[in-house]
Structures are given as C-alpha cells and as structure tokens.
Amino acid sequence: MLKADFGIVAVFTSYDPRGAISAPTTGVVGQSIYIQFSVATFLRDPKTKQPNIEFLFETLDEKGTTILGQPKKQIQDTGVEEKDAAFGMQFPLFMSRPGKFTARITATDKVANKKSVYELPITVLSSN
C-alpha cells in the first residue's frame, strides 16, 4: 500500500463549471470543457491554518510547446475548511483548433515544498 502524499487526484472533465455534466476529452473546435480535479494531502501554514497551493494550467501541442503563452496561474491560500484534507479546483479549456493536445496541471504545495503534475490528453476535431 502506498503512503498518502501530496497530489492531484480525481481528475475528470465536464461541460459545466460545477462538474455535474460529464464530458469526454475529445471534442470539436468551438467547444469548451472544464477540467475538474482535487488536491489532497497538502500541508497548512502554521499561522493561517490554510494551504498555500500554486496552480499552473497550460495546454501543449503535439510537440510539447505551450500554445497559449504563459501558463494560467492561480493561488489557493484561503477558504479551505480546517477539517478538509482535500479540495476541488477546475480550469476551463476552450477548443480553438483541431489537433492532439495535452492539458498539464501543476500544483505546488508552497508549505511542504512539494510538486505534483498531471497531464490529460485532449483531442480536438474539426467542426466540418
């Protein structure tokens, strides 16, 4: 059995931001989906009792090149209940052109100095 460690877990895609309507990872140009996920087993800042997690979200093409310039960055350091050992997040993904892509989520626990990376393959088909 593996020891619990900081990581990105429970990854899935949806058509809506709440995650109620499941979506495939294959779509057509012009569609949007949300990549839903949770982070678990993070440490908390001793003073604020909150996690300090930095998220980076980027989309890579087949060659591994970032297609949107700088990764989208978000910090989660407030609003997490003390009893919660995990919390959910989501990033929108707009399918702007056909091809095979990778959605990469990087979460860094700034308190524990640990990083977790999750890569999700995405296929976008022409709308013709």
Side-chain angles (χ1 to χ4, degrees):
M1 184 171 204
L2 292 176
K3 179 180 156 237
D5 201 3
F6 174 70
I8 298 167
V9 298
V11 180
F12 69 98
T13 53
S14 69
Y15 286 118
D16 64 311
R18 291 184 315 129
I21 305 168
S22 293
T25 56
T26 297
V28 297
V29 172
Q31 256 185 320
S32 290
I33 60 171
Y34 291 84
I35 299 173
Q36 311 276 352
F37 61 96
S38 294
V39 288
T41 320
F42 48 84
L43 291 184
R44 292 175 180 267
D45 181 282
K47 291 180 183 165
T48 66
K49 306 291 189 227
Q50 288 292 310
N52 185 354
I53 313 292
E54 177 184 89
F55 295 97
L56 297 176
F57 182 76
E58 56 192 324
T59 305
L60 311 172
D61 64 14
E62 286 184 281
K63 296 175 186 166
T65 305
T66 301
I67 64 169
L68 300 174
Q70 292 294 326
K72 181 179 178 185
K73 181 177 171 180
Q74 186 171 332
I75 304 279
Q76 181 71 42
D77 60 2
T78 61
V80 178
E81 297 287 329
E82 267 193 72
K83 65 180 175 17
D84 293 344
F87 63 89
M89 296 288 294
Q90 47 103 339
F91 284 103
L93 177 69
F94 180 68
M95 298 179 178
S96 61
R97 63 178 182 181
K100 291 192 180 291
F101 303 93
T102 300
R104 179 187 292 157
I105 303 163
T106 304
T108 304
D109 182 337
K110 298 289 195 170
V111 178
N113 197 27
K114 290 186 175 185
K115 184 182 284 191
S116 179
V117 178
Y118 189 94
E119 293 186 342
L120 181 68
I122 303 288
T123 302
V124 182
L125 306 172
S126 176
S127 58
N128 298 357

Short mmCIF file of all heavy atoms in Angstrom, two decimals, residues 64-118:
data_model
loop_
_atom_site.label_atom_id
_atom_site.label_comp_id
_atom_site.label_asym_id
_atom_site.label_seq_id
_atom_site.Cartn_x
_atom_site.Cartn_y
_atom_site.Cartn_z
N GLY A 64 4.84 19.41 -27.68
CA GLY A 64 5.14 19.79 -26.30
C GLY A 64 5.31 21.28 -26.08
O GLY A 64 5.77 21.71 -25.03
N THR A 65 4.91 22.08 -27.09
CA THR A 65 5.03 23.52 -27.00
C THR A 65 3.75 24.12 -26.41
O THR A 65 2.65 23.76 -26.82
CB THR A 65 5.25 24.13 -28.41
OG1 THR A 65 6.40 23.50 -28.99
CG2 THR A 65 5.47 25.62 -28.35
N THR A 66 3.91 25.02 -25.46
CA THR A 66 2.75 25.71 -24.88
C THR A 66 2.07 26.54 -25.96
O THR A 66 2.73 27.30 -26.66
CB THR A 66 3.19 26.62 -23.71
OG1 THR A 66 3.83 25.82 -22.73
CG2 THR A 66 2.01 27.32 -23.09
N ILE A 67 0.75 26.38 -26.10
CA ILE A 67 0.05 27.08 -27.18
C ILE A 67 -0.59 28.40 -26.75
O ILE A 67 -0.99 29.19 -27.58
CB ILE A 67 -1.02 26.20 -27.86
CG1 ILE A 67 -2.12 25.82 -26.89
CG2 ILE A 67 -0.39 24.96 -28.46
CD1 ILE A 67 -3.33 25.18 -27.55
N LEU A 68 -0.66 28.67 -25.46
CA LEU A 68 -1.33 29.89 -25.00
C LEU A 68 -0.37 30.88 -24.34
O LEU A 68 -0.79 31.73 -23.57
CB LEU A 68 -2.46 29.53 -24.02
CG LEU A 68 -3.55 28.64 -24.58
CD1 LEU A 68 -4.52 28.23 -23.49
CD2 LEU A 68 -4.29 29.33 -25.72
N GLY A 69 0.93 30.77 -24.60
CA GLY A 69 1.89 31.65 -23.95
C GLY A 69 2.12 31.21 -22.52
O GLY A 69 2.29 30.02 -22.24
N GLN A 70 2.11 32.15 -21.60
CA GLN A 70 2.35 31.84 -20.19
C GLN A 70 1.24 30.96 -19.62
O GLN A 70 0.07 31.15 -19.94
CB GLN A 70 2.42 33.13 -19.37
CG GLN A 70 3.62 33.99 -19.68
CD GLN A 70 4.93 33.32 -19.28
OE1 GLN A 70 5.00 32.59 -18.30
NE2 GLN A 70 5.97 33.58 -20.06
N PRO A 71 1.60 30.00 -18.75
CA PRO A 71 0.56 29.19 -18.11
C PRO A 71 -0.36 30.06 -17.26
O PRO A 71 0.07 31.08 -16.72
CB PRO A 71 1.35 28.24 -17.21
CG PRO A 71 2.75 28.28 -17.68
CD PRO A 71 2.94 29.61 -18.34
N LYS A 72 -1.62 29.66 -17.17
CA LYS A 72 -2.56 30.35 -16.29
C LYS A 72 -2.18 29.98 -14.86
O LYS A 72 -1.96 28.81 -14.56
CB LYS A 72 -3.99 29.92 -16.59
CG LYS A 72 -5.00 30.61 -15.73
CD LYS A 72 -6.42 30.21 -16.05
CE LYS A 72 -7.35 30.91 -15.09
NZ LYS A 72 -8.72 30.51 -15.25
N LYS A 73 -2.09 30.98 -13.98
CA LYS A 73 -1.64 30.76 -12.61
C LYS A 73 -2.75 31.13 -11.64
O LYS A 73 -3.45 32.12 -11.84
CB LYS A 73 -0.40 31.62 -12.35
CG LYS A 73 0.19 31.49 -10.98
CD LYS A 73 1.45 32.35 -10.92
CE LYS A 73 2.00 32.44 -9.53
NZ LYS A 73 3.20 33.28 -9.50
N GLN A 74 -2.89 30.31 -10.60
CA GLN A 74 -3.89 30.58 -9.57
C GLN A 74 -3.32 30.12 -8.23
O GLN A 74 -2.68 29.08 -8.15
CB GLN A 74 -5.19 29.86 -9.88
CG GLN A 74 -6.32 30.19 -8.95
CD GLN A 74 -7.63 29.60 -9.43
OE1 GLN A 74 -7.84 29.40 -10.63
NE2 GLN A 74 -8.52 29.33 -8.51
N ILE A 75 -3.55 30.89 -7.18
CA ILE A 75 -3.09 30.55 -5.84
C ILE A 75 -4.32 30.25 -4.97
O ILE A 75 -5.29 31.00 -5.00
CB ILE A 75 -2.31 31.72 -5.19
CG1 ILE A 75 -1.15 32.17 -6.07
CG2 ILE A 75 -1.88 31.36 -3.77
CD1 ILE A 75 0.09 31.35 -5.97
N GLN A 76 -4.24 29.15 -4.22
CA GLN A 76 -5.30 28.83 -3.26
C GLN A 76 -4.68 28.89 -1.87
O GLN A 76 -3.90 28.02 -1.49
CB GLN A 76 -5.89 27.44 -3.53
CG GLN A 76 -6.99 27.05 -2.58
CD GLN A 76 -8.27 27.83 -2.82
OE1 GLN A 76 -8.66 28.04 -3.95
NE2 GLN A 76 -8.92 28.24 -1.75
N ASP A 77 -4.99 29.97 -1.13
CA ASP A 77 -4.45 30.11 0.22
C ASP A 77 -5.48 30.61 1.22
O ASP A 77 -5.13 31.06 2.31
CB ASP A 77 -3.19 31.00 0.22
CG ASP A 77 -3.46 32.41 -0.29
OD1 ASP A 77 -4.62 32.73 -0.62
OD2 ASP A 77 -2.50 33.19 -0.34
N THR A 78 -6.75 30.53 0.85
CA THR A 78 -7.84 30.90 1.76
C THR A 78 -9.05 30.01 1.47
O THR A 78 -9.14 29.38 0.41
CB THR A 78 -8.29 32.37 1.56
OG1 THR A 78 -8.76 32.54 0.22
CG2 THR A 78 -7.18 33.35 1.84
N GLY A 79 -9.97 29.99 2.41
CA GLY A 79 -11.26 29.36 2.18
C GLY A 79 -11.33 27.85 2.27
O GLY A 79 -12.34 27.26 1.90
N VAL A 80 -10.29 27.20 2.76
CA VAL A 80 -10.31 25.74 2.88
C VAL A 80 -10.59 25.40 4.36
O VAL A 80 -9.84 25.81 5.23
CB VAL A 80 -8.99 25.10 2.41
CG1 VAL A 80 -9.02 23.59 2.59
CG2 VAL A 80 -8.72 25.46 0.96
N GLU A 81 -11.69 24.70 4.59
CA GLU A 81 -12.08 24.32 5.96
C GLU A 81 -10.96 23.52 6.63
O GLU A 81 -10.31 22.69 5.98
CB GLU A 81 -13.36 23.49 5.93
CG GLU A 81 -14.58 24.22 5.39
CD GLU A 81 -15.11 25.25 6.38
OE1 GLU A 81 -14.99 25.05 7.59
OE2 GLU A 81 -15.65 26.26 5.90
N GLU A 82 -10.77 23.73 7.93
CA GLU A 82 -9.69 23.04 8.65
C GLU A 82 -9.83 21.52 8.62
O GLU A 82 -8.84 20.81 8.62
CB GLU A 82 -9.63 23.52 10.11
CG GLU A 82 -8.64 24.65 10.28
CD GLU A 82 -8.32 24.93 11.73
OE1 GLU A 82 -7.63 24.10 12.36
OE2 GLU A 82 -8.76 25.98 12.22
N LYS A 83 -11.05 21.02 8.56
CA LYS A 83 -11.27 19.57 8.57
C LYS A 83 -11.02 18.93 7.21
O LYS A 83 -10.89 17.72 7.11
CB LYS A 83 -12.70 19.26 9.04
CG LYS A 83 -13.77 19.77 8.09
CD LYS A 83 -15.16 19.45 8.59
CE LYS A 83 -16.28 20.01 7.80
NZ LYS A 83 -16.10 20.48 6.47
N ASP A 84 -10.92 19.73 6.15
CA ASP A 84 -10.79 19.19 4.80
C ASP A 84 -9.34 18.78 4.49
O ASP A 84 -8.42 19.59 4.61
CB ASP A 84 -11.26 20.21 3.76
CG ASP A 84 -12.75 20.46 3.83
OD1 ASP A 84 -13.46 19.65 4.45
OD2 ASP A 84 -13.21 21.48 3.26
N ALA A 85 -9.18 17.53 4.07
CA ALA A 85 -7.86 17.02 3.69
C ALA A 85 -7.62 17.16 2.19
O ALA A 85 -6.55 16.86 1.69
CB ALA A 85 -7.72 15.56 4.10
N ALA A 86 -8.67 17.58 1.47
CA ALA A 86 -8.58 17.78 0.01
C ALA A 86 -9.55 18.89 -0.36
O ALA A 86 -10.49 19.18 0.38
CB ALA A 86 -8.92 16.50 -0.73
N PHE A 87 -9.33 19.50 -1.53
CA PHE A 87 -10.30 20.47 -2.05
C PHE A 87 -10.28 20.43 -3.56
O PHE A 87 -9.28 20.07 -4.17
CB PHE A 87 -10.06 21.89 -1.51
CG PHE A 87 -8.74 22.50 -1.90
CD1 PHE A 87 -8.60 23.22 -3.07
CD2 PHE A 87 -7.63 22.36 -1.07
CE1 PHE A 87 -7.39 23.78 -3.43
CE2 PHE A 87 -6.41 22.92 -1.41
CZ PHE A 87 -6.29 23.63 -2.59
N GLY A 88 -11.40 20.78 -4.16
CA GLY A 88 -11.55 20.72 -5.60
C GLY A 88 -11.23 22.03 -6.29
O GLY A 88 -11.34 23.11 -5.72
N MET A 89 -10.81 21.89 -7.54
CA MET A 89 -10.50 23.04 -8.41
C MET A 89 -10.97 22.69 -9.81
O MET A 89 -11.27 21.53 -10.11
CB MET A 89 -8.98 23.27 -8.46
CG MET A 89 -8.33 23.66 -7.16
SD MET A 89 -8.74 25.32 -6.64
CE MET A 89 -7.96 26.30 -7.92
N GLN A 90 -11.00 23.70 -10.69
CA GLN A 90 -11.30 23.45 -12.10
C GLN A 90 -10.70 24.55 -12.95
O GLN A 90 -10.51 25.66 -12.48
CB GLN A 90 -12.81 23.32 -12.33
CG GLN A 90 -13.64 24.38 -11.68
CD GLN A 90 -14.15 25.46 -12.61
OE1 GLN A 90 -13.62 25.69 -13.68
NE2 GLN A 90 -15.18 26.14 -12.19
N PHE A 91 -10.38 24.16 -14.17
CA PHE A 91 -9.88 25.10 -15.17
C PHE A 91 -10.69 24.91 -16.44
O PHE A 91 -10.94 23.77 -16.86
CB PHE A 91 -8.40 24.86 -15.49
CG PHE A 91 -7.45 25.35 -14.45
CD1 PHE A 91 -6.86 24.47 -13.56
CD2 PHE A 91 -7.14 26.70 -14.35
CE1 PHE A 91 -5.96 24.91 -12.60
CE2 PHE A 91 -6.25 27.15 -13.39
CZ PHE A 91 -5.67 26.26 -12.51
N PRO A 92 -11.10 26.00 -17.09
CA PRO A 92 -11.79 25.87 -18.37
C PRO A 92 -10.79 25.62 -19.49
O PRO A 92 -9.64 26.05 -19.42
CB PRO A 92 -12.47 27.23 -18.54
CG PRO A 92 -11.60 28.18 -17.77
CD PRO A 92 -11.01 27.39 -16.63
N LEU A 93 -11.23 24.89 -20.51
CA LEU A 93 -10.40 24.64 -21.69
C LEU A 93 -11.25 24.90 -22.92
O LEU A 93 -12.27 24.23 -23.14
CB LEU A 93 -9.90 23.19 -21.70
CG LEU A 93 -9.07 22.80 -22.93
CD1 LEU A 93 -7.72 23.53 -22.91
CD2 LEU A 93 -8.85 21.31 -22.97
N PHE A 94 -10.87 25.90 -23.71
CA PHE A 94 -11.56 26.22 -24.95
C PHE A 94 -10.85 25.51 -26.09
O PHE A 94 -9.63 25.62 -26.24
CB PHE A 94 -11.57 27.74 -25.20
CG PHE A 94 -12.26 28.12 -26.47
CD1 PHE A 94 -13.63 27.95 -26.61
CD2 PHE A 94 -11.55 28.61 -27.54
CE1 PHE A 94 -14.28 28.29 -27.79
CE2 PHE A 94 -12.19 28.96 -28.73
CZ PHE A 94 -13.56 28.79 -28.85
N MET A 95 -11.61 24.77 -26.88
CA MET A 95 -11.04 24.01 -28.00
C MET A 95 -11.04 24.91 -29.24
O MET A 95 -12.04 25.02 -29.93
CB MET A 95 -11.86 22.74 -28.21
CG MET A 95 -11.81 21.82 -27.02
SD MET A 95 -12.79 20.33 -27.27
CE MET A 95 -12.47 19.47 -25.75
N SER A 96 -9.90 25.53 -29.51
CA SER A 96 -9.83 26.57 -30.54
C SER A 96 -9.34 26.09 -31.90
O SER A 96 -9.55 26.77 -32.90
CB SER A 96 -8.92 27.71 -30.07
OG SER A 96 -7.62 27.21 -29.84
N ARG A 97 -8.69 24.92 -31.93
CA ARG A 97 -8.20 24.43 -33.22
C ARG A 97 -8.06 22.91 -33.15
O ARG A 97 -7.86 22.34 -32.08
CB ARG A 97 -6.86 25.06 -33.60
CG ARG A 97 -5.76 24.73 -32.65
CD ARG A 97 -4.45 25.35 -33.08
NE ARG A 97 -3.42 24.95 -32.14
CZ ARG A 97 -2.18 25.32 -32.21
NH1 ARG A 97 -1.78 26.09 -33.19
NH2 ARG A 97 -1.31 24.92 -31.31
N PRO A 98 -8.16 22.24 -34.32
CA PRO A 98 -8.06 20.78 -34.30
C PRO A 98 -6.64 20.31 -33.99
O PRO A 98 -5.67 21.00 -34.26
CB PRO A 98 -8.49 20.37 -35.71
CG PRO A 98 -8.39 21.58 -36.56
CD PRO A 98 -8.44 22.77 -35.66
N GLY A 99 -6.56 19.13 -33.39
CA GLY A 99 -5.27 18.52 -33.10
C GLY A 99 -5.31 17.71 -31.82
O GLY A 99 -6.34 17.57 -31.18
N LYS A 100 -4.14 17.16 -31.49
CA LYS A 100 -3.98 16.42 -30.25
C LYS A 100 -3.17 17.28 -29.30
O LYS A 100 -2.13 17.81 -29.67
CB LYS A 100 -3.28 15.09 -30.51
CG LYS A 100 -4.14 14.13 -31.30
CD LYS A 100 -3.54 12.74 -31.29
CE LYS A 100 -4.39 11.76 -32.07
NZ LYS A 100 -5.66 11.47 -31.44
N PHE A 101 -3.67 17.44 -28.08
CA PHE A 101 -3.07 18.33 -27.10
C PHE A 101 -2.92 17.63 -25.76
O PHE A 101 -3.49 16.57 -25.55
CB PHE A 101 -3.95 19.59 -26.93
CG PHE A 101 -4.17 20.32 -28.22
CD1 PHE A 101 -5.29 20.06 -29.00
CD2 PHE A 101 -3.26 21.26 -28.67
CE1 PHE A 101 -5.50 20.72 -30.20
CE2 PHE A 101 -3.45 21.93 -29.87
CZ PHE A 101 -4.58 21.66 -30.64
N THR A 102 -2.19 18.28 -24.88
CA THR A 102 -2.07 17.81 -23.50
C THR A 102 -2.40 18.98 -22.59
O THR A 102 -1.80 20.06 -22.71
CB THR A 102 -0.63 17.33 -23.21
OG1 THR A 102 -0.32 16.25 -24.10
CG2 THR A 102 -0.49 16.86 -21.77
N ALA A 103 -3.35 18.78 -21.70
CA ALA A 103 -3.64 19.77 -20.67
C ALA A 103 -2.79 19.39 -19.46
O ALA A 103 -2.93 18.29 -18.93
CB ALA A 103 -5.12 19.76 -20.32
N ARG A 104 -1.90 20.28 -19.06
CA ARG A 104 -0.99 19.99 -17.95
C ARG A 104 -1.37 20.86 -16.75
O ARG A 104 -1.43 22.08 -16.86
CB ARG A 104 0.45 20.26 -18.33
CG ARG A 104 1.42 19.99 -17.17
CD ARG A 104 2.83 20.40 -17.47
NE ARG A 104 3.39 19.56 -18.52
CZ ARG A 104 4.42 19.93 -19.29
NH1 ARG A 104 4.96 21.12 -19.17
NH2 ARG A 104 4.86 19.10 -20.21
N ILE A 105 -1.59 20.19 -15.62
CA ILE A 105 -1.87 20.87 -14.36
C ILE A 105 -0.65 20.63 -13.46
O ILE A 105 -0.23 19.50 -13.26
CB ILE A 105 -3.11 20.29 -13.66
CG1 ILE A 105 -4.33 20.36 -14.57
CG2 ILE A 105 -3.36 20.99 -12.33
CD1 ILE A 105 -5.47 19.46 -14.12
N THR A 106 -0.10 21.71 -12.94
CA THR A 106 0.99 21.62 -11.98
C THR A 106 0.52 22.27 -10.69
O THR A 106 0.08 23.41 -10.69
CB THR A 106 2.26 22.34 -12.49
OG1 THR A 106 2.62 21.79 -13.77
CG2 THR A 106 3.42 22.19 -11.52
N ALA A 107 0.59 21.52 -9.61
CA ALA A 107 0.23 22.04 -8.28
C ALA A 107 1.48 22.00 -7.41
O ALA A 107 2.14 20.97 -7.32
CB ALA A 107 -0.88 21.20 -7.67
N THR A 108 1.78 23.13 -6.78
CA THR A 108 2.94 23.20 -5.89
C THR A 108 2.47 23.59 -4.50
O THR A 108 1.87 24.65 -4.32
CB THR A 108 3.97 24.22 -6.41
OG1 THR A 108 4.34 23.87 -7.75
CG2 THR A 108 5.21 24.26 -5.53
N ASP A 109 2.74 22.72 -3.53
CA ASP A 109 2.45 23.00 -2.13
C ASP A 109 3.61 23.83 -1.60
O ASP A 109 4.71 23.33 -1.39
CB ASP A 109 2.31 21.68 -1.35
CG ASP A 109 1.95 21.88 0.11
OD1 ASP A 109 2.21 22.98 0.65
OD2 ASP A 109 1.43 20.93 0.70
N LYS A 110 3.37 25.14 -1.42
CA LYS A 110 4.43 26.06 -1.00
C LYS A 110 4.84 25.85 0.45
O LYS A 110 5.93 26.22 0.84
CB LYS A 110 3.97 27.50 -1.20
CG LYS A 110 3.67 27.87 -2.64
CD LYS A 110 4.93 27.96 -3.43
CE LYS A 110 4.67 28.67 -4.74
NZ LYS A 110 5.88 29.00 -5.44
N VAL A 111 3.97 25.24 1.26
CA VAL A 111 4.30 24.98 2.66
C VAL A 111 5.22 23.76 2.76
O VAL A 111 6.23 23.77 3.44
CB VAL A 111 3.03 24.79 3.52
CG1 VAL A 111 3.39 24.47 4.97
CG2 VAL A 111 2.14 26.03 3.45
N ALA A 112 4.86 22.68 2.05
CA ALA A 112 5.64 21.44 2.10
C ALA A 112 6.77 21.41 1.08
O ALA A 112 7.60 20.50 1.11
CB ALA A 112 4.72 20.24 1.87
N ASN A 113 6.76 22.38 0.15
CA ASN A 113 7.73 22.40 -0.95
C ASN A 113 7.67 21.11 -1.76
O ASN A 113 8.68 20.47 -2.03
CB ASN A 113 9.14 22.66 -0.43
CG ASN A 113 10.07 23.10 -1.55
OD1 ASN A 113 9.63 23.69 -2.54
ND2 ASN A 113 11.35 22.81 -1.41
N LYS A 114 6.42 20.73 -2.14
CA LYS A 114 6.20 19.54 -2.97
C LYS A 114 5.42 19.94 -4.21
O LYS A 114 4.62 20.87 -4.18
CB LYS A 114 5.42 18.47 -2.20
CG LYS A 114 6.21 17.83 -1.08
CD LYS A 114 5.44 16.70 -0.47
CE LYS A 114 6.28 15.98 0.57
NZ LYS A 114 5.59 14.80 1.09
N LYS A 115 5.65 19.19 -5.29
CA LYS A 115 5.00 19.48 -6.56
C LYS A 115 4.35 18.22 -7.10
O LYS A 115 4.87 17.11 -6.94
CB LYS A 115 6.04 20.00 -7.55
CG LYS A 115 5.48 20.42 -8.90
CD LYS A 115 6.57 20.87 -9.84
CE LYS A 115 7.04 22.25 -9.45
NZ LYS A 115 7.90 22.88 -10.44
N SER A 116 3.20 18.40 -7.76
CA SER A 116 2.52 17.31 -8.43
C SER A 116 2.11 17.79 -9.83
O SER A 116 1.64 18.92 -9.98
CB SER A 116 1.27 16.89 -7.64
OG SER A 116 0.58 15.85 -8.29
N VAL A 117 2.32 16.94 -10.83
CA VAL A 117 1.97 17.28 -12.21
C VAL A 117 1.04 16.21 -12.75
O VAL A 117 1.28 15.01 -12.56
CB VAL A 117 3.23 17.38 -13.10
CG1 VAL A 117 2.86 17.69 -14.54
CG2 VAL A 117 4.19 18.43 -12.56
N TYR A 118 -0.03 16.64 -13.43
CA TYR A 118 -0.97 15.71 -14.07
C TYR A 118 -1.14 16.16 -15.52
O TYR A 118 -1.37 17.34 -15.79
CB TYR A 118 -2.32 15.74 -13.36
CG TYR A 118 -3.24 14.65 -13.83
CD1 TYR A 118 -3.30 13.43 -13.16
CD2 TYR A 118 -4.04 14.81 -14.96
CE1 TYR A 118 -4.13 12.41 -13.60
CE2 TYR A 118 -4.86 13.80 -15.40
CZ TYR A 118 -4.92 12.60 -14.71
OH TYR A 118 -5.74 11.60 -15.16
#
